[in-house]
Amino acid sequence: MSGEHAHGAGASSRRMIWALALTSTFLVAEVIGAVVFQSLALLSDAAHMLTDVVALAIALAAIKIGERPADTLRTFGYRRFEILAATFNAVLLFLVAGYIFYEGVLRLFDPEPVGSIGMLIVASLGLGVNLISMRLLASGVETSLNVKGAYLEVWADMLGSVGVIGGALLIIATGWTWVDPVVAIGIGLWVLPRTWILLKNTTHILLEGVPKGLSLDAVRATVGAVPGVNAVHDLHLWGISSDDVNGSVHVSVSGEDGETVRRRVLTAMRDAHGIEHATVQVETDPGGDLSGPGHGENPHL
């Protein structure tokens, strides 16, 4: 089974490398085209394609770096790299989007000549690159969350390329150069909400927030309902990466074997909430009611 998994990961890595090479090469070509043809829409689409490049790089790095075992310096391993890179990606996109919005507003009031034919050619090539990349990534979508995320990024960028093509055709037909900044701003408005969600999610993980889909109160109730548990305190839930869940909790017991209760708590956390990695500390003398947040627990975690 492990051999099949390794083979699948290797195949996904190879396809991702090809998709990354194609997208990175065309990203450079699109930036050059945006400068040569004075198209803000192409520059905006290039900014979106930058998210594809970073998403593919993150997914590829997550596969490669994630295979490295924990060591004496990185006791949780190297999976946090995915979150750091995604955060950098989001911040960079906000800066690029701010520049594009600024230039877009200026060009709305003072339109500049646009090489619409060149704009159309470059955007059409970009659409082709997106379709090829989607084809390369399609086989790994159902088996890897990282590949699925990269696939969705490329799919969204394909819509941006379609928008630029439509804008170029409209400029060719009408001569309305103001269409270029409108398309650029439209692509920016399409990208920013997704960028904000990405930054919000990565910041939440970096702040050791409760992983998505879990409720601290629900987990506390589950642990408190375990036979032999008298009180629950110092409950913490966090994730190292986007698909990782860790937990720690102190429980007080009396009249039962502490190890037996500890195993019950671990089983309950795993079965009810999917928490595979948890640390449970058993205290046989609670010294009072320890179920509230006044004993070192942050109720907002």
Side-chain angles (χ1 to χ4, degrees):
M1 192 70 176
S2 60
E4 294 177 2
H5 177 75
H7 176 75
S12 294
S13 296
R14 287 191 296 273
R15 289 174 175 270
M16 216 174 297
I17 289 172
W18 277 106
L20 179 59
L22 277 172
T23 308
S24 300
T25 301
F26 190 78
L27 170 62
V28 175
E30 192 165 36
V31 171
I32 294 173
V35 174
V36 171
F37 301 116
Q38 296 185 324
S39 172
L40 195 61
L42 278 179
L43 184 61
S44 181
D45 190 50
H48 194 181
M49 187 165 281
L50 177 64
T51 68
D52 299 348
V53 171
V54 176
L56 286 165
I58 290 172
L60 187 60
I63 291 176
K64 296 297 185 181
I65 297 177
E67 294 173 352
R68 298 173 61 180
D71 53 37
T72 55
L73 291 178
R74 307 288 188 274
T75 57
F76 280 100
Y78 294 81
R79 301 183 66 192
R80 182 54 63 88
F81 173 83
E82 173 192 356
I83 306 303
L84 293 173
T87 303
F88 173 78
N89 178 27
V91 172
L92 181 61
L93 272 176
F94 272 116
L95 295 176
V96 172
Y99 170 76
I100 289 173
F101 284 146
Y102 172 75
E103 285 290 328
V105 171
L106 290 182
R107 289 198 186 189
L108 281 175
F109 290 99
D110 185 19
E112 296 184 10
V114 177
S116 53
I117 298 296
M119 176 181 169
L120 176 62
I121 293 173
V122 174
S124 298
L125 291 174
L127 178 61
V129 169
N130 291 143
L131 292 174
I132 294 172
S133 296
M134 288 174 66
R135 177 69 176 175
L136 288 170
L137 297 173
S139 63
V141 168
E142 299 301 326
T143 58
S144 170
L145 289 175
N146 285 315
V147 176
K148 184 175 182 179
Y151 178 89
L152 292 176
E153 284 285 348
V154 175
W155 178 86
D157 187 50
M158 181 191 69
L159 297 181
S161 296
V162 171
V164 176
I165 291 172
L169 291 173
L170 189 57
I171 294 174
I172 292 172
T174 64
W176 297 340
T177 56
W178 54 263
V179 170
D180 178 64
V182 168
V183 172
I185 293 173
I187 293 175
L189 291 175
W190 164 256
V191 173
L192 276 183
R194 296 167 55 246
T195 304
W196 170 249
I197 292 173
L198 174 63
L199 182 60
K200 181 180 177 181
N201 289 340
T202 56
T203 301
H204 182 74
I205 293 173
L206 290 174
L207 291 175
E208 310 289 0
V210 174
K212 185 177 179 180
L214 287 180
S215 164
L216 194 72
D217 290 336
V219 176
R220 183 187 293 111
T222 297
V223 175
V226 171
V229 173
N230 291 337
V232 180
H233 65 108
D234 287 326
L235 172 63
H236 300 280
L237 303 172
W238 71 97
I240 299 299
S241 64
S242 57
D243 57 351
D244 174 77
V245 179
N246 297 273
S248 67
V249 63
H250 292 199
V251 297
S252 61
V253 301
S254 61
E256 289 207 42
D257 176 61
E259 178 60 19
T260 300
V261 175
R262 188 185 73 83
R263 291 183 180 277
R264 289 175 187 165
V265 171
L266 288 172
T267 300
M269 294 177 72
R270 182 194 64 212
D271 294 346
H273 304 285
I275 303 172
E276 296 285 349
H277 185 259
T279 301
V280 179
Q281 180 172 322
V282 177
E283 300 170 354
T284 56
D285 182 13
D289 182 11
L290 298 174
S291 60
H295 293 266
E297 179 178 73
N298 185 348
H300 301 292
L301 279 177

